[in-house]
Amino acid sequence: MSLEMVWLVLMGLVLGAYFVLGGYDYGTQILYPLVGRDERGRRVVRAALGPFFFGNEVWLIAFTGVLFGAFPMLEGTLISGLYPLFLLLLLGLVVGKAAVQLRGLVRNARAWDGLIVAGGLIAATSWGLVIGALLNGVPYGTDGVVTLDWSDVVNPFVVMAGVSNVILLCAHGAVFLTLRVSGDIVERAGKLARPLLLAAIASVAVTAALSGGTAVTQPTAALLVVAVLVVALTAAVFLAARDRSGWAFVATSLSALLPVPLVGLGLYPYFLVSAEGGMTIAQGAADQATLVTLLPFGLALVPVIVAYQAWSWWLFRGRVSPATPTYF
């Protein structure tokens, strides 16, 4: 395996972990007023997020570091070319994090509750649109510059990718809450989980049906990933119906992770594809000397973050209730 592939797998792992862990944050934020229908319930939902909320973003920071260090050409082209979507994503992250953190300290609670939902919705939608835009093909010119326009985003496939990601993460967040909270909130989250999972399956199927004109270079691999995604969501439906919250969360975690290999395998050996050309993995990577120098740091980083996450989950493994102290 080449160094470029080692770094590509490493980048996929950290981004996939972020989609799983940050994904249930965004899903929980969107469902916040539906599950927490009164002040007591909303406090419990915030308490469920509390111990992990900011720690989950470590994976996004790790992804950014890998992208900047190992794939600098991709980083420069991707961030600048898709800056409208990444600007929207940044807005969602800032608004959502600030609203959750400050919600318990302000008097105008209704406005901040709305910002919690908006932050999660914007972040989930933005990531879905990014995935859809990459699979659909970006306007990558012969000069190596991506000039994304909103007309490249507002098309059926990309929009449905955004919708599918929102529904998928809402289902992931609902299953997370059935595993994390107690009392009547578990029942509310459980009642939402099954229809959301079924809606996620339907939205994925519709998105796949619209993929005929996309820039996917490996359609067989892409369809295989989509099939695994549908199977995982279907398994989650049956597991959630049988109150197997732990295994249902494993299934939805796999579902939340799969968009990352969908892009990686579907566009291989390219990062960016368009009718005018594309950027291959080798073209987007740093030189061999840089990849060799950074490799020990990259290989050491992931186990440290995994250990931290495992310790955090073990330390706060109990279900939360109205009596549980909350950071928010």
Side-chain angles (χ1 to χ4, degrees), residues 35-36 40-42 44-45 177-178 181-190:
V35 178
R40 179 188 64 85
R42 294 179 185 184
V44 171
V45 175
L177 287 173
T178 64
V181 299
S182 60
D184 56 344
I185 300 181
V186 174
E187 297 179 8
R188 295 175 192 167

Side-chain angles (χ1 to χ4, degrees), residues 132-140 148 152 157 214-216 267 272-275:
L134 291 175
L135 291 172
N136 193 53
V138 295
Y140 185 83
L148 186 74
D152 300 306
F157 174 77
T214 61
V216 171
L267 298 181
L272 305 173
V273 184
S274 74

Side-chain angles (χ1 to χ4, degrees), residues 203-231:
S203 64
V204 169
V206 172
T207 306
L210 295 171
S211 64
T214 61
V216 171
T217 58
Q218 304 291 337
T220 302
L223 285 175
L224 180 61
V225 175
V226 172
V228 174
L229 173 57
V230 171
V231 169

